[in-house]
């Protein structure tokens, strides 16, 4: 069912049921539909006298949404995708220079940003600006429903280069993705979901959409803080969590002495969980099934894993329902079972690729299949193993090493909380494999780590140098900030401690 149509159905059938909550502000389905309709009308009025100027051309109006985790985000997203409009999500926490680059890439027709309790709508072509406040009275305006082939959503990914690339998705792939997720995750009207990550990022945005389409309540957070998050889980009797592994680890620590029994499902993406992570989750959330999925903004869902599918440090589960997996060599030929190559995906969830000149840098097609350049292999039972991304490989002493594989082994050690592996220039080896580690509980046993590495990796894949970092820098999406750590290493920052 179309996203807007689902919201209107729930608003008609149970208008007072809670739909979206953040920072204590709760919007019912009736309120959400009313506010979104009024905001869509304001967008139409503001843009009505301006010529279409965006990178999408004359056929589609492009709305840049920079509101972040604001109470009016859900209504803004609905309004910005009403009818033939397409929304582009820009994280307001990114540096202004980065956001300027994103806007320059898109040339949006309207920019919506947050302003205290309200919103500001700006039309760059005319320079006209309007304010919007949820308390403004107005008739309920029904959101228009677009067709499957219309552009619907633009999100940004840094890929392998760090330069933001805009990915465009049509309404049809979005609708099919929501239907596939509902079947796989078993979401219904009673599945109250808490997803405290950035709404401008795919994982949390998708959790919001699938929860609202199911007619359930979505709870977000302006900022993630573990103790406060546990209080929300307890007070609201949350049934489902959607988050990245870093957030789950911090929640497990916060819930060590107060297990949360209301949670029956935890959905994790963005990085792989370790056996230690799953054990901690079982103690902190004893009634919860933990489901991991691997995907990409360009490809949609790729694979899904439950407790029994991730015994290996590199295993990311079997093909998501409706998805086919194929591992190919550089010439496009299928690789034998167990041999490493480029992971290709076949499904109806694949995006339309990148906006503008970025197309082809990472995402590419091979007939009906597509890839973002991730490398891995399929084992005998169809389990996919993820080793890294093309372009991320380190060539050290003539050996090909995929940092992600080494990171997976490192974080599987009980004494390692988080890790980043990278290659640094070396006059003899070409590249030297090094690692930055955040130890568990600020304690580190180098000999124990060496034994762990020896048991799981050949010697040439062991980091030659290791720095300790008691608090890893993180991105807004909950991943290790690789660029920051590279700079700290280059600067000799005393936040890092080199271990002999």
């Amino acid at each position: 069912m179309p996203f807007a149509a689902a919201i209107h159905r729930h608003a008609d059938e149970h208008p007072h049921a809670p739909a979206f909550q953040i920072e204590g502000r709760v919007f019912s389905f009736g309120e959400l539909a009313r506010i979104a309709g009024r905001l869509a009308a304001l967008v139409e009025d503001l843009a009505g006298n301006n010529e279409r100027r965006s990178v999408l051309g004359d056929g589609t109006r492009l709305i840049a949404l920079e509101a972040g985790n604001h109470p009016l985000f859900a209504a803004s997203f609905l309004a910005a995708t009403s009818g033939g409009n397409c929304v582009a999500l820009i994280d307001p926490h990114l540096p202004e220079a980065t956001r300027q680059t994103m806007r320059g890439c898109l040339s949006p027709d309207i920019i919506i940003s947050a302003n205290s309790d309200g919103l500001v709508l700006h039309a760059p072509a005319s320079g006209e600006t309007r304010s919007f406040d949820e308390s403004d009275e107005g008739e309920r305006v029904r959101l228009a429903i677009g067709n499957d082939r219309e552009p619907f959503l633009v999100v940004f990914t840094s890929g392998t280069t760090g330069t933001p690339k805009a990915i465009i998705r049509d309404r049809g792939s979005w609708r099919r993705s929501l239907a596939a997720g509902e079947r796989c995750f078993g979401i219904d009207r009673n599945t109250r979901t808490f997803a405290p990550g950035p709404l401008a990022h795919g994982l949390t945005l998708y959790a919001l959409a699938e929860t609202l389409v199911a007619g359930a309540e979505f709870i977000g957070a302006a900022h993630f803080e573990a103790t406060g998050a546990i209080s929300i889980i307890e007070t609201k009797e949350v049934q489902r969590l959607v988050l990245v592994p870093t957030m789950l680890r911090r929640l497990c620590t916060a819930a060590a002495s107060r297990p949360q029994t209301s949670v029956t499902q935890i959905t994790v993406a963005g990085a792989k969980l370790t056996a230690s992570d799953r054990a901690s989750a079982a103690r902190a959330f004893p009634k919860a099934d933990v489901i991991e999925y691997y995907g990409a903004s360009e490809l949609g869902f790729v694979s899904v894993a439950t407790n029994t599918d991730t015994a290996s440090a590199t295993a990311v589960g079997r093909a998501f329902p409706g998805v086919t997996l194929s591992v190919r060599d550089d010439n496009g030929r299928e690789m034998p079972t167990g041999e490493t190559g480029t992971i290709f995906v076949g499904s109806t969830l694949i995006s339309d690729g990148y906006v503008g000149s970025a197309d082809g840098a990472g995402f590419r097609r091979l007939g009906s299949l597509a890839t973002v350049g991730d490398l891995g292999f399929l084992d005998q039972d169809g389990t996919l193993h993820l080793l890294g991304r093309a372009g991320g490989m380190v060539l050290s002493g003539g050996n090909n090493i995929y940092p992600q594989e080494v990171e997976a082994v490192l974080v599987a050690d009980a004494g390692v909380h988080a890790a980043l592996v990278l290659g640094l220039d070396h006059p003899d080896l070409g590249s030297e494999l090094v690692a930055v580690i955040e130890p568990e509980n600020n304690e580190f046993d180098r000999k124990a780590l060496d034994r762990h590495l020896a048991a799981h990796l050949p010697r040439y894949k062991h980091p030659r140098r290791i720095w300790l970092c008691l608090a890893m820098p993180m991105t807004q999406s909950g991943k290790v900030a690789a660029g920051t750590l590279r700079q700290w290493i280059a600067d000799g920052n005393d936040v890092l401690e080199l271990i002999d």
Side-chain angles (χ1 to χ4, degrees), residues 94-109:
L94 292 171
E96 174 59 25
T98 302
R99 286 183 281 134
Q100 285 182 353
T101 299
M102 292 173 168
R103 296 186 209 110
C105 166
L106 300 175
S107 297
D109 299 292

Side-chain angles (χ1 to χ4, degrees), residues 57 129 143 182 222 241 268 276 302-303 377 415 429 471 499:
T129 297
L143 300 166
E182 182 179 6
L241 302 176
V268 179
S276 177
V302 175
S303 65
F377 64 89
L429 299 172
I499 302 300

Side-chain angles (χ1 to χ4, degrees), residues 38-378:
R38 287 176 37 238
L39 186 53
L42 181 59
V43 168
E44 185 67 29
D45 183 60
L46 178 60
N49 297 324
N50 294 315
E51 293 183 3
R52 304 283 170 89
R53 64 188 291 273
S54 82
V55 70
L56 301 183
D58 293 338
T60 302
R61 181 178 293 125
L62 182 60
I63 316 296
L65 180 55
E66 296 189 40
N69 287 25
H70 187 274
L72 290 175
F73 178 91
S76 300
F77 184 80
L78 280 163
T81 55
S82 177
N85 294 341
C86 178
V87 66
L89 296 179
I90 298 178
D91 189 340
H93 292 96
L94 292 171
E96 174 59 25
T98 302
R99 286 183 281 134
Q100 285 182 353
T101 299
M102 292 173 168
R103 296 186 209 110
C105 166
L106 300 175
S107 297
D109 299 292
I110 301 290
I111 299 171
I112 301 177
S113 56
N115 180 19
S116 186
D117 294 332
L119 299 170
V120 175
L121 286 73
H122 176 66
S126 65
E128 187 177 359
T129 297
R130 304 273 186 92
S131 296
F132 180 85
D133 190 305
E134 67 170 282
S135 64
D136 294 343
E137 294 299 326
E139 294 293 325
R140 177 174 162 186
V141 178
R142 295 188 77 86
L143 300 166
I145 309 300
N147 65 63
D148 278 3
R149 289 307 304 162
E150 289 175 343
F152 172 78
L153 174 67
V154 174
V155 294
F156 284 87
T157 180
S158 59
T160 58
T161 64
T163 302
K165 294 183 291 185
I167 303 160
I168 188 164
R169 183 175 292 278
D170 65 29
R171 292 179 189 272
S173 69
W174 177 259
R175 290 165 180 170
R176 291 188 292 271
S177 181
L178 289 173
E182 182 179 6
R183 291 191 296 269
C184 181
F185 302 127
I187 303 164
D188 60 27
R189 201 180 145 186
N190 298 312
T191 311
R192 183 181 294 115
T193 295
F194 179 41
L199 285 161
H201 295 206
L203 176 64
T204 313
L205 175 72
Y206 186 82
L208 167 68
E210 65 184 355
T211 303
L212 294 183
V213 166
E217 181 181 7
F218 175 91
I219 303 173
H223 306 283
F224 174 72
E225 189 275 315
T227 302
I230 291 296
S231 296
I232 289 173
I233 293 169
E234 287 180 337
T235 303
K236 298 297 180 180
E237 297 183 336
V238 169
Q239 285 85 39
R240 182 178 182 233
L241 302 176
V242 180
L243 26 69
V244 295
T246 302
M247 292 177 177
L248 178 59
R249 292 174 191 130
R250 293 176 182 175
L251 286 181
C252 289
T253 299
S257 61
R258 48 200 280 203
Q260 302 299 303
T261 57
S262 69
V263 178
T264 58
Q265 185 184 127
I266 302 173
T267 301
V268 179
K272 181 177 163 55
L273 293 177
T274 66
S276 177
D277 292 333
R278 286 184 171 273
S280 296
R283 292 189 295 270
F285 304 98
K287 295 185 178 181
D289 291 327
V290 179
I291 300 174
E292 294 179 69
Y293 72 81
Y294 153 58
S297 298
E298 298 94 327
L299 304 175
F301 296 117
V302 175
S303 65
V304 62
T306 59
N307 290 349
T308 59
D309 297 326
T310 56
S312 165
T314 56
V316 291
R318 295 178 176 85
F320 197 89
V323 172
T324 59
L325 301 176
S326 178
V327 177
R328 306 283 176 129
D329 66 15
D330 291 342
N331 296 314
R333 293 188 293 262
E334 190 111 29
M335 300 291 290
T337 297
E339 292 197 18
T340 298
T342 300
I343 301 167
F344 281 84
V345 174
S347 83
T348 61
L349 311 180
I350 296 171
S351 74
D352 294 328
Y354 302 129
V355 173
S357 60
D359 199 4
F363 176 82
R364 61 187 174 93
R365 291 185 179 273
L366 181 66
S368 63
L369 304 175
T371 185
V372 290
D374 283 343
L375 303 173
F377 64 89
L378 289 165

Side-chain angles (χ1 to χ4, degrees), residues 378-391:
L378 289 165
D379 65 19
Q380 293 285 354
D381 68 0
T383 295
L384 179 66
H385 293 254
L386 183 64
L387 300 181
R389 179 160 292 188

